[in-house]
Amino acid sequence: TNAVTSNSQVSTAITTAPYYHGSSSASLPNVLRNGLRPLGEQDSIPYTGELVSGITGKNPTGSNNFNRISVATSEKVQSAIRYSSEMQPAARTWTPEKSQQILAEAITNLEQRGINPNAPLGSAQNPIENMWLAQVYVETKRLAQWPNISQLERTLIEEPFPVVYGTHYSGQVERVLGSDIPGDRFIPGMSPENLTVFVPSEKIEFVRNLVQETGSPIREILPLESLR
């Protein structure tokens, strides 16, 4: 069952989740249903994360964020916790109004340069133009998904809180070259069954209700404080 466990069980959960991914509660609707997936494996677009930067280059489908998940080792779990906290400011919170503004500006900028806003990702001549193409791609999908998102899930997006995913992964990992996050690694996408969700203790009941609503097979929900 998805519940807060005793201290001994919490310790076991932590030691069997060797890699950690910091995020925001805005990622939970996607993760509970589909697992922690890189962009290239997702049918829907999450409402948080560095999606635009991950698909802005000349080879977007070959980019790091498109094919793999970045994680911190257990020794560097504090970096995942810090990152999850940095995702919360209002400036980074997604709203339909912000999305519509970003989309309108990106379309205008592209059209002023004679570029079709629906051109393939990475097909423009410079990084700024490719960023605008990525913004059109991401925000168009987010706005199209929004009417189908439940009120409970909207609260996670509009009133975000820190989330860290513990990944129960024992396969091969890749080092992240040039990352500014110590201990950064790349792993493949993970199914819900192989994830432990760490959230602030006061949010556990709220997330448990979402798990029940979605029927997610997520492994466990544990207090974020147990990682500190």
Side-chain angles (χ1 to χ4, degrees):
T1 58
N2 293 293
V4 183
T5 60
S6 69
N7 287 337
S8 61
Q9 291 171 305
V10 168
S11 297
T12 301
I14 292 170
T15 56
T16 56
Y19 301 105
Y20 297 88
H21 179 85
S23 188
S24 151
S25 61
S27 65
L28 275 168
N30 269 39
V31 172
L32 293 181
R33 287 187 171 88
N34 307 313
L36 190 61
R37 302 289 181 188
L39 185 58
E41 295 179 14
Q42 298 195 50
D43 294 327
S44 57
I45 297 285
Y47 290 84
T48 187
E50 300 175 20
L51 298 182
V52 170
S53 62
I55 58 172
T56 290
K58 291 295 289 183
N59 181 27
T61 58
S63 71
N64 294 332
N65 289 12
F66 200 87
N67 296 303
R68 296 168 291 183
I69 298 295
S70 63
V71 292
T73 61
S74 55
E75 294 82 5
K76 301 293 184 180
V77 65
Q78 293 303 317
S79 66
I81 295 172
R82 279 194 301 273
Y83 184 80
S84 71
S85 297
E86 291 168 1
M87 299 295 286
Q88 312 320 310
R92 303 192 71 162
T93 301
W94 188 92
T95 67
E97 294 75 23
K98 284 184 189 175
S99 180
Q100 289 163 352
Q101 182 178 352
I102 292 169
L103 179 60
E105 289 177 359
I107 290 173
T108 298
N109 289 334
L110 288 165
E111 289 178 339
Q112 286 176 346
R113 297 195 180 200
I115 301 170
N116 182 346
N118 297 312
L121 290 170
S123 62
Q125 296 303 307
N126 64 58
I128 293 177
E129 293 168 351
N130 281 318
M131 180 191 72
W132 292 330
L133 285 176
Q135 287 176 332
V136 171
Y137 175 84
V138 169
E139 300 307 334
T140 298
K141 283 185 171 290
R142 283 174 169 170
L143 287 167
Q145 294 166 185
W146 190 244
N148 300 316
I149 293 178
S150 72
Q151 188 54 55
L152 192 60
E153 292 173 317
R154 289 187 182 197
T155 302
L156 293 167
I157 296 165
E158 296 178 322
E159 302 173 24
F161 51 84
V163 172
V164 171
Y165 298 104
T167 66
H168 300 268
Y169 177 71
S170 57
Q172 221 171 11
V173 298
E174 299 176 58
R175 288 181 179 274
V176 180
L177 300 177
S179 172
D180 57 355
I181 300 176
D184 222 5
R185 300 289 188 272
F186 281 131
I187 63 171
M190 303 296 293
S191 64
E193 296 90 341
N194 292 316
L195 294 173
T196 292
V197 179
F198 295 89
V199 298
S201 55
E202 68 272 16
K203 298 294 184 181
I204 285 179
E205 189 63 32
F206 184 85
V207 175
R208 187 183 297 125
N209 290 337
L210 180 62
V211 167
Q212 292 173 348
E213 179 182 282
T214 60
S216 174
I218 206 83
R219 180 179 286 205
E220 257 177 322
I221 304 169
L222 297 176
L224 183 61
E225 294 83 354
S226 65
L227 286 177
R228 299 182 189 277

